[in-house]
Amino acid sequence: MTHTHRKARRAALLIGGALLGVHMLMSALSQAPLSPAKLRYYDTVSGYLDPYFTQNWMLFAPDPLMDDRGILARARCADGKTTEFYDVTTPFVEQVRANRFFPSRMSRIVTASVQQLSNGDELLMRLRKEARNDKKPVMPLLPHERRSQSEAVTFVSRFALDHMSSACQGDPEKVQIRMYIHELPPWSKLNDSKAEGKVSVQDFPWNSVRGLR
């Protein structure tokens, strides 16, 4: 092996090692607890990891199912009339239940967006929950949280619009998304047929159809 080849191989190993180190650093920072560094570099890390290198450890330690979440959507017509809410989530969930061996993956499109709308950093969520329980001012959404939520609302609005072809005779002007969360009864009331969970809803701003297409 010539001196030139040895130098080239050494350079390739150094560059490869540096790139691998950057990748590991990005992955570690995405899973690190909330900190000033994580907030400062959140956009950079998220832009690099999504969608191919996103870290998700739910496979190893999944949270037990405690609620039922979904998306509803309605349209506003040119004459000012507002349609009834269309269930965006349920049809695709029923498709999965109807075919357990070869389930449709379309339901993941909606459920992933619901998670993006409702889930966030565990520490921030815990702090906000404690503030609500103590009847104290709740911390507002951080810039990256608002940005992520806005992207999810736009995506789901566009997705719902594609499945509301009959709304406003096929020519709606605006679309609104509503997220619902049905908290299931506790396990202690599993056999109680009269037990009912709490339902909460969150309406998001109207989106212009012209901006979605």
Side-chain angles (χ1 to χ4, degrees):
M1 182 179 291
T2 65
H3 180 66
T4 303
H5 287 167
R6 285 198 296 270
K7 290 181 63 176
R9 187 178 68 173
R10 188 176 303 169
L13 289 174
L14 289 174
I15 294 174
L19 293 176
L20 181 60
V22 171
H23 173 77
M24 298 300 292
L25 179 63
M26 292 281 198
S27 301
L29 187 59
S30 71
Q31 299 302 305
L34 187 66
S35 65
K38 185 173 183 178
L39 292 176
R40 179 175 180 181
Y41 298 108
Y42 179 87
D43 290 338
T44 302
V45 173
S46 179
Y48 168 73
L49 292 177
D50 293 337
Y52 301 109
F53 303 114
T54 302
Q55 303 296 304
N56 189 338
W57 300 98
M58 297 297 290
L59 174 64
F60 304 99
D63 293 331
L65 184 62
M66 301 179 64
D67 54 48
D68 177 27
R69 305 185 180 195
I71 295 291
L72 306 175
R74 62 179 177 176
R76 180 170 292 168
C77 309
D79 58 3
K81 293 183 179 180
T82 302
T83 66
E84 298 293 330
F85 277 103
Y86 168 77
D87 191 340
V88 181
T89 308
T90 303
F92 299 104
V93 174
E94 291 179 347
Q95 289 179 14
V96 174
R97 292 174 177 172
N99 193 343
R100 296 291 186 177
F101 293 103
F102 302 98
S104 170
R105 295 179 179 270
M106 292 295 291
S107 63
R108 297 186 181 184
I109 296 177
V110 182
T111 54
S113 299
V114 172
Q115 291 178 353
Q116 188 174 352
L117 288 170
S118 56
N119 294 341
D121 186 275
E122 292 185 5
L123 176 58
L124 293 176
M125 293 173 63
R126 185 166 65 251
L127 291 174
R128 291 185 178 117
K129 183 177 181 180
E130 292 176 355
R132 283 192 291 267
N133 292 338
D134 297 337
K135 297 182 179 180
K136 296 181 179 179
V138 179
M139 180 190 307
L141 294 177
L142 298 178
H144 74 269
E145 292 179 300
R146 290 196 298 268
R147 200 157 40 244
S148 176
Q149 188 178 92
S150 177
E151 291 173 357
V153 170
T154 300
F155 177 82
V156 178
S157 298
R158 186 179 292 114
F159 184 82
L161 183 63
D162 292 338
H163 292 80
M164 298 170 60
S165 57
S166 60
C168 302
Q169 298 181 348
D171 190 27
E173 284 195 343
K174 294 182 179 181
V175 175
Q176 185 185 37
I177 295 301
R178 167 178 288 183
M179 180 179 68
Y180 65 84
I181 299 178
H182 174 211
E183 297 181 9
L184 303 177
W187 285 102
S188 59
K189 298 182 179 180
L190 181 64
N191 298 321
D192 185 357
S193 59
K194 297 182 179 180
E196 296 182 357
K198 178 182 177 182
V199 179
S200 59
V201 299
Q202 181 178 0
D203 291 337
F204 294 94
W206 288 88
N207 267 323
S208 171
V209 171
R210 183 176 299 178
L212 297 175
R213 288 175 174 172

